[in-house]
Amino acid sequence: MLLSCLAPFLPLERFLIFVWVRLGTEGQEQNKEQTCRLLGKFDLNGYVEAKDHTLVIGGVFPVHSRTIPANESILEPVSAKCEGFNFRGFRWLKAMIHTLKEINKRKDILPNITLGYQIFDSCYTISKAMESALVFLTGQEETKPNFRNSTGVYLAGIVGSGGSSLSVAASRVLGLYYIPQVGYASTTSLLSDKYQFPSYLRVIPSDTFQSDAMVALIRHFKWVWIGAIAGDDDYGKYGIKLFKEKAEIANLCIAFSETIPKVYSNEKMQKAVDAIKSSTARVIVLFASDIDLSPFVLEMVYHNITDRTWIASEAWVTSALIANPQYFPYFGGTIGFGVPRADIPGFKEFLYDIHPSKDPNDVLTIEFWQTAFNCTWPNSSVPYNVDHRVNMTGKEDRLYAMSDKFCTGQEKLEDLKNTYLDVSQLRITNNVRQAVYSMAIALDRLSRCEEGRGPYIPGNTCAYIPDFEPWQLMFYMKTLKFTTQGGVRIEIDENGDVTGYYDVLNWQLGDNGDITFVKIGEYIFTKSKFQLVMKENVTVFWNTETKECPLSVCTHECLPGTRKGIRQGEPVCCFDCIQCAEGHVTREPGQRDCEPCDEDHWSNEQRSECVLKEVEFLSYEEALGFTLVILSIFGALVAVGVIVVYAIHRNTPLVMANGRELSFIIQVSFIITLLSSMLFIGKPCNWSCMARQITLALGFSLCLSCILGKTISLFLAYRISKSKTRFISMRPLYRKIIVLISVLIEIGICIAYLLLKPPRVYKNMESQNTKIFLECIEGSIEFLCSVFGFDVFLALLCFLTTFVARKLPDNYYEGKCITFGMLVFFIVWISFVPAYLSTKGKFKVAVEIFAILASSYGLLGCLFAPKCFIILLRPKKNTNETVGGRVPTIDRSIQLTSASVSSELNNTTVSTVLDD
């Protein structure tokens, strides 16, 4: 039954471990002859009140601070005994009992149901915490657990176990059964991992929030050079690890990081002390429990280390064990974070209601009385003043001495001044109260479930008291929200954590000589708000010679225009001030990195501000751009003039020869190419970048395809002059088809270019740092090469065909003109490539425009200047005889005219049409 209930809730690995343990236990029961015999029982002290109660809640508290070291000569396992009575932990234990009694009296929570308790002393050690957890599960104080619940379903959950390491250890066992465990003082972030600790919840914030709070406090006081000391346990290690991670993100520097040994080691302790003494850091974060911190405090006193400001974690900031007036010269001015304090009605009277005579078997009360009043209770076996710790000299103290004075029982608690009776700072104590209440409220909601409306699937069933399973209670615990009697809202999230706020406390010396915890601010952490709020009207006490806020830096701040240069082998806060590189600035003092100016700006001479860069492009206003515009317009007007001349003399033989329509199209294409050069001038934008290349490519393709139509006609005419056996004919329609196909191919390539990877504007900032060259990048070199490569292919065909046909009759010189024009075209563009690659900025664009104009002027002049000369200045030569000419004397049987070339050789007619 238990396995089937746990399966959906336990992680796979934990479930397998659990099954393995169960199977191993069952196998041992089946094979009893192989079962190990019981060698010992656990030595646990505490309180049990379970008789006549409906449910039992377990509790684990550090009533003692340590265990007596085991005798290594004894080979058998022995449960260790405890020493070092902890008044604070004893008060926490009493808070749980008081809260349960209060709940049992209430009628609005768990009516007709009473809560008992089973409380154990963890002695602030992992071994005792584990023993307590096993006793909760087995019901036996044995060293070999059977993993069965001691009170069946009546054990509702556990409150504890005090320190983070203790809760981690206990939760690994309790989590196997999914038994709810509510922590009141364990803050390590490790416990937020629900994969490892599925049944752990807490009413105290995680150290994740405390680390953020510490960083915010340090930044508030503008400290950057920080020391770090951690306790040698999960609480200290994970807490200081989180702090260092947050500090690194906030650009804070860790001057040193040391660990306080949990078991006293003179070597390790001296290493921590030496780090503090040798460091220039005046602010030190101390993440440790008050019990582990006690030997360290004595070391600070012994070495007379003052003039330090300590940042305290919540575990010791209000601990009376550390907040002792004799330690004030060394730890005065400490600033730390405390959980919110509260007043518990009737709790002070409950604490005073204690006396050894009420129960002779109550060893904890007897030990409390003996320790508090420095006496020995008569007829008691409880040891007095047991201490097996190693002192600062490295020697072990073994004190078993009984006090010479016997307790009379008439001692007055009112005369005591110790932690147990101090109810002015009920912080963790209040957490114990909230932990008990959270479990009671969850049980109350479980008991009020209505069948058919329950949370458990299938069937929306309910759980019932007292026969519910632990995981059923966990459902209510994980969604718990309630408001305490003090008006504090408690909400446990999916990770078992709570939000709220910390009190920022400052250690100051009161009028009566005691240390007071003055609230100087708050750190608020909710789902939507993380903020440090400091009080302006509260004076902070600083434990410095000047009584002013300490300056904790390794190197003073760098001025604007310089950055921090890290010194090799030293922490990052020990730096040199280095001037920022060009294009980078620091506007505020003490910046670690120079900020790069954005793409439109550049640094000033002081490297403290970014100023606008000069934007450069070939504009119409400057002389070079204006000259190129004039040349482009002039060339276009010349082309228009040629069109006018050809239109007026369109019926003359010279105009009609070799394609009149093609000549007009060529002239129009020259206008397009010449005017397209103007698109290269002015401020580039995306449309002009696309238009300039496409217009130029189409203009050249139109021009060269028409020339190709002409050159093919000339080529065939030349072939006629050499052929005597075949009939060759080139109709005008075929030449137009060649032009159409060539232009359509070019248009197709251009469309693909524009759709897939079109040219666009590019801010070239690589050529010069202080200037921005606005240029057009081509988008795709492959497409650009394809577009102009096709024009080059047409030009090559034109050149080859006219080169072959250059030997036509001398007076028919169009073939020679085209050949010479193509040579000019190739020379211009071959020269353009190295010139283009060797220039930058606006001159790069000017070179391209020069190439366009030169090639256009060259072709225009070579193709039409001779003809216009004859048409306008030598009209008498514009005749069929002059245009057609005669075939060379070596082959006079063939005559070439503007209308036809005919001959009959071997009964075969050869004709090539050269005109319209």
Side-chain angles (χ1 to χ4, degrees), residues 31 88 463 615 684 746 770 781 792:
N31 194 6
R88 194 183 189 198
V615 180
E746 185 72 7
T770 58
I781 298 299
V792 173

Side-chain angles (χ1 to χ4, degrees), residues 236-281:
K237 290 179 179 178
Y238 282 95
I240 213 69
K241 176 178 177 290
L242 275 174
F243 167 74
K244 290 195 289 187
E245 290 174 355
K246 305 285 186 180
E248 184 178 358
I249 296 174
N251 293 328
L252 304 179
C253 305
I254 305 301
F256 60 87
S257 181
E258 297 295 338
T259 302
I260 300 174
K262 201 168 186 67
V263 177
Y264 187 89
S265 168
N266 187 59
E267 180 182 356
K268 294 180 180 180
M269 190 67 78
Q270 288 304 314
K271 183 180 179 183
V273 172
D274 292 341
I276 296 171
K277 293 173 66 175
S278 61
S279 176
T280 57

Side-chain angles (χ1 to χ4, degrees), residues 442-705:
L443 288 168
D444 180 69
R445 293 177 182 175
L446 181 147
S447 67
R448 297 177 188 273
C449 177
E450 297 181 10
E451 191 61 38
R453 297 183 180 179
Y456 311 118
I457 298 174
N460 293 331
T461 58
C462 293
Y464 300 98
I465 295 176
D467 58 349
F468 64 88
E469 298 288 349
W471 62 266
Q472 292 175 318
L473 178 59
M474 272 301 299
F475 175 85
Y476 292 93
M477 296 292 296
K478 290 191 297 184
T479 58
L480 192 61
K481 297 180 181 179
F482 67 96
T483 302
T484 65
Q485 290 178 318
V488 179
R489 185 67 176 171
I490 302 295
E491 295 185 11
I492 299 179
D493 63 16
E494 62 276 6
N495 295 323
D497 293 327
V498 293
T499 56
Y501 68 94
Y502 287 113
D503 288 337
V504 183
L505 305 176
N506 178 230
W507 284 19
Q508 299 186 16
L509 203 60
D511 296 335
N512 58 356
D514 293 334
I515 294 179
T516 59
F517 309 111
V518 179
K519 184 177 178 180
I520 61 174
E522 286 182 348
Y523 181 77
I524 304 169
F525 51 96
T526 62
K527 292 182 178 180
S528 59
K529 185 178 182 181
F530 296 87
Q531 184 180 7
L532 178 68
V533 181
M534 302 298 290
K535 293 183 177 181
E536 297 181 356
N537 56 347
V538 177
T539 302
V540 180
F541 174 78
W542 301 107
N543 191 24
T544 59
E545 293 181 359
T546 60
K547 304 302 178 183
E548 295 180 356
C549 181
L551 182 64
S552 187
V553 296
C554 183
T555 306
H556 289 284
E557 288 183 334
C558 295
L559 297 176
T562 61
R563 65 172 178 86
K564 298 177 181 179
I566 304 302
R567 297 174 183 171
Q568 190 68 28
E570 296 186 27
V572 293
C573 275
C574 300
F575 49 83
D576 297 315
C577 294
I578 303 173
Q579 187 178 31
C580 294
E582 291 186 350
H584 293 72
V585 298
T586 53
R587 298 179 176 87
E588 301 294 333
Q591 287 187 228
R592 175 174 293 183
D593 298 313
C594 296
E595 301 173 0
C597 297
D598 58 36
E599 58 182 12
D600 296 330
H601 293 77
W602 193 249
S603 59
N604 60 2
E605 185 177 353
Q606 292 77 25
R607 311 288 199 273
S608 59
E609 292 292 338
C610 290
V611 294
L612 282 172
K613 286 184 179 180
E614 179 184 353
V615 180
E616 184 173 286
F617 56 87
L618 186 59
S619 65
Y620 293 101
E621 289 78 11
E622 57 184 303
L624 180 59
F626 181 75
T627 302
L628 294 175
V629 169
I630 295 300
L631 291 176
S632 300
I633 295 175
F634 177 76
L637 292 175
V638 171
V640 171
V642 173
I643 292 175
V644 172
V645 171
Y646 264 57
I648 294 173
H649 302 87
R650 61 184 176 278
N651 295 319
T652 60
L654 192 59
V655 174
M656 295 178 63
N658 205 17
R660 179 174 54 190
E661 288 83 358
L662 295 182
S663 297
F664 281 109
I665 294 175
I666 291 174
Q667 293 157 10
V668 172
S669 69
F670 280 135
I671 296 175
I672 295 173
T673 55
L674 287 165
L675 292 180
S676 68
S677 63
M678 296 180 63
L679 295 173
F680 290 81
I681 305 173
K683 186 176 181 179
C685 52
N686 287 330
W687 72 265
S688 64
C689 289
M690 292 187 286
R692 62 170 66 172
Q693 300 293 1
I694 300 304
T695 305
L696 180 62
L698 291 175
F700 274 128
S701 66
L702 182 63
C703 174
L704 294 172
S705 61

Side-chain angles (χ1 to χ4, degrees), residues 55-60 96 116-118 136 149 151 153-160 174 178-182 199 439 443 468 470 473-474 477:
L55 296 172
V56 172
I57 296 179
V60 183
M96 178 176 174
Y117 52 84
Q118 185 178 20
F136 286 132
N149 201 310
T151 56
V153 296
Y154 295 105
L155 179 62
I158 312 296
V159 174
L174 297 174
Y178 219 62
I179 292 180
Q181 180 184 0
V182 185
S199 63
M439 192 165 293
L443 288 168
F468 64 88
L473 178 59
M474 272 301 299
M477 296 292 296

